[in-house]
Structures are given as C-alpha cells and as structure tokens.
C-alpha cells in the first residue's frame, strides 16, 4: 500500500483536480489518497470563524458567498455531465448550508472546528465524484471514522490503526481509497483537526498505521530545496535526506513539510517522498534512514523569534539554576528552541511570546533579564557530526557580515543554528547559498 497526499495547490482548481486524478490512477499498487482542501479554502474558513467570533455575520456571509462562488466555478469546469455537476453542487451546497446554520449568537471553538473541516470534506467528495464520472472506482474513507486525537491532543495511534484496518478489511478488492487530510475527531468525539498544514501529518499517520511501502507528499515544487525558494533565487532540490535532517528543516521553517509529519514515518521506517504534481517525473526528495556522510544539505529559517537572556552572578558554581530557568518556561507552557550558556548567564529563544511578560516576571527572581525581539533562527542542516572537519567554519564564515546573536551546535548531528536579526534574514540565506551550494564542495574535508 502507498499513501499519496496532495496539498492545496495540487487540488486548487478544476484543472489541477483532473491532473491529480490522472496521477492517482497511474500504477498498480493499492493506494490511500489523502487530500487537502482546495488552496485558499482553509484560510477563508478561518476568516469566516473569525467574523463569527467577533459577532459580525455580514463579514462572515461575504466570505461564505465569495468562497461558494469559487466552488460553483470549479464544479462547472470539473464535471462534463449535468448529472455529476448536480451531485457535486448538492454536496457542496450542504456544506455551505451547514456553515450558514452556525451563524448564531453562541460561537465557540466547537462550531469553529466544524467549519474548518468543510474544506477537506468538499475536496474529497468532489474528487470522488469526478473519478466516478470518469468511470473510475474509488472508495471514500471518512477520516472522521478513524483519525483521532487523545486527551493530550496527540494522535491516538492505536485507535487510528485499529479503525483504519477494520475499514480497509471491508474492501479487500479495492485499490484506490480517498480520505481527508487534516481533519479528525478528538478524545470527546468532536470534530477537530491536526492544526494548519496538518494533512502531511494525516498522510504519515496513515502510512504508519497501514505499514505503507511509501508515503508520497505531492506538492507544487520538485522536492525539498536547499534553501527557501521564496527568498533565494536558484535553489535546487535535495534528492536525499534522512529523517532527522528532514525533521530539522521542517521544524525550522521549510514549509514544504509539516514538522509533525516525520516522526510517525521515522518510527515505522517508512520512506517519505516529496514530489511535484506539476512535474511528476522529477525525482523529488526521498526521506529515509540513509545518511549522506559529511554533507551540508539545506538551509531554512524560522521567523518571529524572541531571545531571553538571564544573567546571574549566582550562576557561578550554582546547581539548580538551569532547572529553575527551564521550569519557568515549562510552567508557562512555552517551548524553548535554542539555548546557549556561559558561566554568567543563559540565553534561550522562544517562538511563542504569549506568556512572555509572566515568564520575564518569574525569571527576574533568578537574575537580570534582557529581551531581544524580531529575530530569526537560521538553521543549516546536513550530516554535521563533529568528526567532520571544516563544515562549521564554512557556515560561520558565510555570515561574516551578519550580526549573530546566538550560535547553537552539537545538540544534534544534523543542525547548526544561528540567531540573527529578522532584517538580515534574506541577506543571510543568500550568503549561505552562495558559500555552501554555489561554491564547489559542500562536503567535509576528509
Ligand atoms: P501544500 O499546499 O502542497 O501542502 P505548501 O505550501 O505547504 O504546499 O508547501 C510547498 C511550498 O513550500 C512551496 O511552494 C515553497 O514555496 C515552500 N517552501 C519553503 N521552503 C522550502 C524548501 N526548502 N523547499 C521546497 N519548498 C519550500
Ligand atoms: N487545509 C489545511 C490547511 O490549509 C491542511 C493542509 O492543507 O495541510 O492548513
Ligand atoms: Mg503544506
């Protein structure tokens, strides 16, 4: 069994849906196809919910009308026969009617999650109908029947596996299954989701549950590039990554992959392939357990970082200082990304400043606290294990003209992170590409 996930752009128009239909019906291996909502849909649904939280039904109605027009147009272009056009219209209209029925006084996260689920429900129903119109049999699997999170909002792998396998057992002769990415039920049976961009996560959770031969993430670019293609010109695809390298890149800002997506695949040792729907023959990126020794693979950047520096004379020879500092972040449920220490202090970074004020208040018990805002973490990824000579030097010397606030190396074999001002991000990424990838060898001296 293969799992093939198609993102929003890949199903973003009638033309694109037809293209995906061709791709998922090529080849013999049985497959589970995971679809995102059509591009722009989830953003529009978030906007609708936002208007409803703010008790502005007119604002919500305007977005609903705009979105439903987009769907009417797509349906018109997608189906060849009046019969299927009508069936698709009925299905999509039912979803928009449900959204409209939620325009009421009491609007809570319960109603919001019901609205956010509509995008994936509509795209999968539209695909199923399109395939049926083409005379191609496909079996819809409702993600709401098997994809579930537990009381900690973490996927319930046991429930997912048991229920998905039970469902699949009912169709022993079917080869093409279609399901929704992103949506799930929570521990209370309510409609919920795996967070924005979570369809990648759906795909790898399904891959792990069915022990797939491969999880394919189909998107609008030919694999993981060696730098952010939205900022740097001339980036090129990286053909092979190991799971840890891919996880670091995803976590540190390479949007092509959702950060959570790697773990289930890694734990089950299922290769993940990143492929381009617009260029299906391009090799893309294969993510597996294999490591290319001593090679720098790619650069990514994570925005909106705040650094907190706690300086304390008492840190000298003191035990327990670090514990108190980290406990403070834990107490305010704020994860820490980067850490550097010296004898007089410790610097940490966070990307969620929601509880910054309380954190600083508490930290002042242990030392003098200084905050630096508007920073980015630039993360260089590859096999950077310390036995390989010369790689750190190449990275750091590329940034000789950039003020560097923190450097972190040695926390894993695969990452060297630098904290720099947001204003210097583009310049830093371009300099790294020039020094690491345009220059002849990005491999370690042997
Ligand atoms: P999908 O809708 O298919 O999930 P995404 O928009 O989430 O697609 O991810 C694909 C986008 O990720 C690309 O269009 C690209 O602009 C962006 N991206 C950011 N960093 C990278 C990178 N290092 N390699 C490839 N794509 C990247
Ligand atoms: N449609 C959802 C989003 O836009 C999930 C996804 O596309 O992965 O966040
Ligand atoms: Mg995505």
């Amino acid at each position: 069994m293969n799992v093939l996930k198609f993102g929003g752009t890949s199903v973003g128009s009638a033309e694109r849906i037809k293209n995906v239909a061709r791709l998922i019906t090529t080849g013999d291996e049985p497959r589970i196809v995971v679809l995102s909502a059509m591009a722009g849909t989830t953003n529009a649904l978030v906007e609708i919910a936002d208007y409803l939280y703010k008790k502005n039904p007119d604002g919500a109605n305007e977005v609903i009308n705009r979105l439903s027009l987009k769907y009417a147009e797509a349906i018109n272009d997608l189906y060849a026969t009046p019969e299927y056009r009508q069936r698709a219209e009925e299905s999509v209209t039912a979803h928009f009617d449900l959204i409209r029925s939620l325009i009421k006084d009491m609007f809570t996260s319960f109603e919001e999650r019901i609205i956010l689920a509509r995008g994936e429900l509509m795209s999968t129903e539209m695909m199923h109908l399109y395939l049926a119109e083409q005379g191609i049999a496909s079996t819809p699997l409702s993600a709401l029947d098997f994809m579930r999170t537990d009381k900690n909002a973490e996927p319930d792998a046991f429930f997912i596996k048991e229920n998905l396998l039970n469902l699949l057992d009912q169709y022993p002769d079917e080869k093409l299954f279609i399901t929704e990415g992103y949506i799930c039920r929570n521990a209370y049976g309510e409609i919920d989701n795996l967070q924005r961009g979570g369809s990648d996560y759906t795909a790898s959770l399904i891959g792990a549950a069915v022990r797939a031969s491969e999880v394919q993430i189909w998107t609008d670019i030919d694999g993981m590039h060696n730098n952010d293609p939205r900022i740097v010109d001339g980036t090129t695809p990286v053909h092979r990554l190991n799971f840890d390298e891919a996880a670091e890149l995803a976590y540190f800002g390479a949007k092509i992959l959702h950060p959570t997506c790697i773990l289930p695949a890694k734990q089950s040792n299922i290769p993940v392939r990143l492929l381009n729907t617009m260029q299906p023959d391009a090799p893309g990126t294969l993510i597996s357990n294999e490591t290319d020794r001593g090679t720098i693979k790619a650069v990514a950047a994570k925005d909106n970082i705040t650094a907190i520096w706690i300086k304390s004379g008492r840190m000298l020879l003191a035990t327990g200082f670090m514990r108190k500092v980290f406990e403070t972040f834990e107490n305010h449920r704020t994860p820490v990304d980067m850490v550097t220490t010296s004898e007089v202090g410790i610097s940490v970074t966070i990307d969620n400043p929601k509880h910054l004020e309380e954190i600083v208040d508490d930290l002042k018990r242990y030392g003098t606290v200084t905050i630096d805002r508007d920073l980015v973490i630039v993360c260089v990824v590859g096999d950077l294990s310390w036995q390989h000579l010369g790689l750190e030097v190449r990275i750091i010397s590329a940034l000789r003209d950039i003020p560097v606030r923190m450097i972190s190396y040695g926390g894993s074999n695969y990452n060297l992170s630098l904290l720099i001002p947001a204003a210097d991000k583009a310049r830093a990424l371009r300099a790294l590409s020039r020094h690491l990838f345009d220059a002849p060898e990005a491999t370690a001296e042997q």
Side-chain angles (χ1 to χ4, degrees), residues 5-9 35-43 45-46 116 119-120 123 181-183 193-202 258:
K5 176 260 170 177
F6 292 85
T9 335
L35 298 181
S36 287
M38 290 177 77
T41 302
T42 311
N43 284 348
L45 296 172
V46 167
L116 295 187
E120 272 69 11
S123 61
Y182 174 64
I183 68 172
N193 59 65
L194 299 173
Q195 309 295 322
R196 295 304 308 272
S199 297
D200 297 346
Y201 202 12
T202 303
H258 195 264

Side-chain angles (χ1 to χ4, degrees), residues 2 43 130 181 188 212 214 261 279 310 373 377 391 409 424:
N2 277 337
N43 284 348
Y130 176 70
Y188 313 100
E214 189 167 285
C261 154
Q279 218 184 311
I310 309 112
R373 295 171 209 270
I377 295 175
L391 295 179
Y409 172 68
D424 293 314

Side-chain angles (χ1 to χ4, degrees), residues 101-342:
S101 77
L102 297 172
I103 305 183
K104 53 186 188 185
D105 276 351
M106 264 295 279
F107 190 81
T108 67
S109 110
F110 177 76
E111 284 80 17
E112 177 186 19
R113 286 177 277 125
I114 293 176
I115 290 181
L116 295 187
R118 298 303 111 190
E120 272 69 11
L121 289 165
M122 291 195 285
S123 61
T124 42
E125 284 166 21
M126 285 167 66
M127 177 63 83
H128 176 61
L129 285 173
Y130 176 70
L131 291 170
E133 189 184 44
Q134 301 299 307
I136 300 162
S138 66
T139 306
L141 297 173
S142 171
L144 299 178
D145 290 341
F146 66 87
M147 193 51 69
R148 186 181 274 248
T149 51
D150 61 18
K151 290 210 165 93
N152 300 316
E154 294 294 333
D156 182 341
F158 183 78
F159 182 100
I160 296 167
K161 183 169 181 170
E162 189 172 68
N163 287 275
L164 179 55
L165 294 183
N166 277 341
L167 272 177
L168 291 171
D169 277 350
Q170 293 171 26
Y171 308 100
D173 301 323
E174 301 297 332
K175 285 201 170 326
L176 178 58
F177 298 93
I178 301 188
T179 191
E180 303 88 2
Y182 174 64
I183 68 172
C184 63
R185 287 192 190 274
N186 59 25
Y188 313 100
E190 300 164 349
I191 293 185
D192 211 325
N193 59 65
L194 299 173
Q195 309 295 322
R196 295 304 308 272
S199 297
D200 297 346
Y201 202 12
T202 303
S204 71
L205 288 166
I206 292 179
V210 303
R211 301 217 144 266
S213 330
E214 189 167 285
V215 172
Q216 300 177 354
I217 307 285
W218 289 82
T219 182
D220 58 2
I221 186 162
D222 53 346
M224 177 74 76
H225 276 221
N226 57 7
N227 207 328
D228 192 328
R230 296 166 297 183
I231 296 170
V232 179
D233 290 335
T235 59
T236 53
V238 178
H239 294 309
R240 282 153 29 120
L241 286 171
N242 79 23
F243 287 120
D244 294 326
E245 291 169 333
E248 301 271 10
L249 286 167
Y251 184 73
F252 285 105
K255 185 179 174 247
I256 183 170
L257 206 54
H258 195 264
T260 52
C261 154
I262 290 300
L263 191 62
K266 180 183 168 179
Q267 282 171 341
S268 309
N269 195 16
I270 297 169
V272 176
R273 211 181 275 277
L274 309 181
L275 293 160
N276 187 352
T277 22
M278 273 72 120
Q279 218 184 311
D281 295 329
T285 302
L286 177 63
I287 303 166
S288 70
N289 256 329
E290 307 278 313
T291 305
D292 291 328
R293 294 278 158 221
T295 307
I296 296 180
K297 289 295 180 70
V299 178
K302 186 167 174 167
D303 298 322
N304 301 320
I305 304 293
T306 303
I308 302 153
W309 179 26
I310 309 112
K311 206 172 61 163
S312 168
R314 280 177 293 159
M315 189 177 165
L316 195 70
L317 300 179
T319 54
F321 175 77
M322 296 273 202
R323 176 176 53 75
K324 288 182 205 143
V325 168
F326 285 115
E327 255 172 17
T328 307
F329 288 92
E330 190 187 341
N331 292 342
H332 295 289
R333 300 177 67 80
T334 301
V336 165
D337 279 327
M338 263 175 99
V339 183
T340 53
T341 65
S342 84

